[in-house]
Amino acid sequence: MRVWRQLTDFIARHGSAALITVHDVKGSAPREAGAHMVVRPDGAFHGTIGGGQLEFRMLDIAREMLDSGLRPARIVDQALGPDLGQCCGGRVKILIETFDRRDMEALAPLVEAEAAGGLFEVECRLEEGRVKREFSSAVGDDRWTGWRETHGERLTPVLLFGAGHVARALVLALAPLPFAVRWLDDREGAFPSHIPSNAHAVRLWDPEAEIAAADPGSFVLVMTHDHPLDMAITAAALKRDFPYVGLIGSATKRARFEKRFRETGVDEARIRALVCPIGIPGIADKDPAVIAASVTAQLLQLRERASLGRNLSPPADTNDT
């Protein structure tokens, strides 16, 4: 969720909004420090701090602050077990702030930084009861007393070749998740009229150039309308050290492709790294939405495991051929 964009949108439409942030966590808690909710005056909201009694209580406080026009920020300290009867057993501090149109100018740089993509850090301090956020570094300045917040998202790049039924379902499945999809197809009119904001549809002219220009951390998925094109794209992708190269198809398709890859000199270790069939193990349903869900789960596993230095789980049993 783009927190600052959502906050300013609510202010523009409704006159005010509240920001609820998990400020600090000790022990087990439903969400990590830095999780956010943005709340409208009528109680509608985006985001979550974990649900349950904690979330309900913080929503009530935020609405009370909005209704009363209270400007000072509030930090609420909650022991999840004794105070709320939640089983997590940890302790959290929740920061609740209210904003209105007077704050739009101060919020604009945060909206801009968020829109630029990636992660950014701000330094925060309480000033006359309000949280002041600054980009300028105060590291080493003994006069600075406060805390730091990290905002934005680290998006994993995905190259998706093909715009058929499975690819369309996959783009929708990835829409709310931390991926940036470059969606490629060589056919005119192949893409739907509405595409999620984290996907960029591109007419494919030169597959090898796309592979060569891709970020080395990209996940590559190949599911075009044409098997020779699938083979050419996959071979090019395997010649680079991408963390994931996935090819839609059955074990039979994989065997045929592997034979050709060996004939053309693709490294054996890279051939073994190919994920085909794609998706998590144990799901045999070939419905496009099911395949998309399975592949999305696999990409999320890989994204998490890559950050921990682990290997990818084994491929699934079957896909469309």
Side-chain angles (χ1 to χ4, degrees):
M1 180 178 72
R2 291 190 172 184
V3 173
W4 302 110
R5 169 56 64 191
Q6 189 65 67
L7 183 68
T8 54
D9 283 351
F10 276 1
I11 294 169
R13 295 177 186 180
H14 304 281
S16 63
L19 176 63
I20 302 174
T21 303
V22 179
H23 183 65
D24 186 52
V25 173
K26 298 253 186 324
S28 178
R31 290 295 305 274
E32 69 286 353
H36 298 286
M37 296 178 69
V38 182
V39 187
R40 292 187 342 199
D42 63 2
F45 61 88
H46 280 262
T48 179
I49 58 169
Q53 290 300 316
L54 174 68
E55 186 163 291
F56 294 148
R57 184 170 294 185
M58 297 308 109
L59 281 169
D60 285 342
I61 294 172
R63 289 193 66 185
E64 289 171 5
M65 292 171 65
L66 288 168
D67 289 344
S68 64
L70 287 176
R71 295 281 291 170
R74 180 173 174 183
I75 292 181
V76 184
D77 191 345
Q78 298 275 258
L80 297 173
D83 295 344
L84 300 171
Q86 294 191 202
C87 297
C88 301
R91 191 175 197 96
V92 297
K93 289 183 180 179
I94 305 296
L95 172 65
I96 306 177
E97 305 168 77
T98 58
F99 301 84
D100 58 29
R101 290 189 173 93
R102 290 170 287 180
D103 301 302
M104 293 292 267
E105 184 177 349
L107 293 172
L110 297 167
V111 175
E112 184 177 350
E114 190 176 58
L119 300 177
F120 64 96
E121 192 173 78
V122 293
E123 293 168 348
C124 312
R125 67 178 184 273
L126 283 174
E127 192 173 278
E128 297 180 350
R130 303 281 293 167
V131 177
K132 184 171 183 180
R133 293 175 171 89
E134 295 180 329
F135 291 98
S136 57
S137 176
V139 174
D141 186 346
D142 293 336
R143 296 170 298 174
W144 178 74
T145 57
W147 67 94
R148 291 178 177 84
E149 293 177 345
T150 300
H151 294 280
E153 288 186 303
R154 182 179 286 111
L155 302 179
T156 298
V158 174
L159 262 68
L160 175 58
F161 291 90
H165 295 307
V166 174
R168 290 184 179 216
L170 182 59
V171 166
L172 293 177
L174 296 175
L177 299 173
F179 296 97
V181 181
R182 184 170 175 84
W183 193 10
L184 301 134
D185 197 288
D186 63 348
R187 298 168 295 172
E188 185 176 356
F191 300 107
S193 56
H194 298 288
I195 296 171
S197 60
N198 69 332
H200 178 50
V202 179
R203 183 78 178 271
L204 178 62
W205 299 104
D206 188 341
E208 292 192 0
E210 290 287 346
I211 293 294
D215 185 286
S218 298
F219 296 168
V220 180
L221 280 151
V222 184
M223 49 183 73
T224 78
H225 60 98
D226 182 76
H227 278 205
L229 182 58
D230 278 355
M231 184 174 292
I233 294 169
T234 306
L238 289 175
K239 290 174 183 176
R240 290 195 58 188
D241 193 24
F242 293 117
Y244 177 94
V245 179
L247 170 67
I248 197 168
S250 63
T252 300
K253 181 176 179 180
R254 179 187 183 113
R256 290 174 179 171
F257 276 42
E258 282 188 358
K259 181 176 183 293
R260 182 57 181 157
F261 294 153
R262 291 188 181 96
E263 291 172 351
T264 56
V266 177
D267 184 78
E268 189 65 32
R270 293 301 299 149
I271 293 175
R272 289 196 302 270
L274 174 65
V275 180
C276 177
I278 52 175
I280 59 176
I283 299 177
D285 194 322
K286 295 182 180 181
D287 184 274
V290 175
I291 296 174
S294 177
V295 172
T296 298
Q298 187 174 57
L299 296 186
L300 288 168
Q301 285 180 334
L302 177 58
R303 188 176 188 272
E304 181 73 15
R305 292 176 184 185
S307 69
L308 299 174
R310 299 177 187 169
N311 293 324
L312 178 63
S313 60
D317 298 326
T318 184
N319 293 144
D320 288 344
T321 57

